[in-house]
Amino acid sequence: HGREFVVVGADAGAFTQLRLTAASGRPGIRAIRVDYQDGSRRTFEIEKTLSAKSRPVYVDLRGARELHQVIVMTDRDSRGSYRLEGNTREHNVATR
């Protein structure tokens, strides 16, 4: 863990929201940086430890945007894995 890069690409369509859930253990999520296809980027501070019992973390992208990549910054000392999913206008698409 540390920084994990999820390349999305324009062919995946436009996303309106990201969702993070614990897949196993208790991953610590510090922040998410979203790089958009137009070259802009935005960092969302999360600072949460996820678990099977915790609610998902939602990141509102404030409108439908095509993504280039998502960078998830995790706590290197935390144990666990996470699931990152993207929401489009039409349906959910798992990206990692």
Side-chain angles (χ1 to χ4, degrees), residues 16-18 20 29-36 41-47 57-62 65 67 70-73:
T16 58
Q17 185 181 70
L18 300 175
L20 279 162
I29 309 297
R30 294 192 179 275
I32 296 175
R33 189 179 93 190
V34 178
D35 294 345
Y36 299 100
R41 65 179 58 161
R42 184 156 182 212
T43 301
F44 299 89
E45 299 296 325
I46 306 296
E47 298 299 336
V57 171
Y58 292 96
V59 176
D60 183 4
L61 300 178
R62 297 186 180 155
R65 306 276 307 269
L67 309 182
V70 178
I71 302 168
V72 181
M73 291 158 258

Side-chain angles (χ1 to χ4, degrees), residues 40-94:
S40 63
R41 65 179 58 161
R42 184 156 182 212
T43 301
F44 299 89
E45 299 296 325
I46 306 296
E47 298 299 336
K48 291 196 178 201
T49 299
L50 304 176
S51 73
K53 294 181 181 181
S54 67
R55 292 183 176 201
V57 171
Y58 292 96
V59 176
D60 183 4
L61 300 178
R62 297 186 180 155
R65 306 276 307 269
E66 290 181 346
L67 309 182
H68 171 66
Q69 70 180 356
V70 178
I71 302 168
V72 181
M73 291 158 258
T74 61
D75 181 352
R76 291 177 186 254
D77 295 327
S78 68
R79 302 280 185 229
S81 61
Y82 60 88
R83 179 176 296 117
L84 173 66
E85 297 172 297
N87 231 1
T88 65
R89 289 183 187 172
E90 300 158 7
H91 55 2
N92 292 338
V93 179

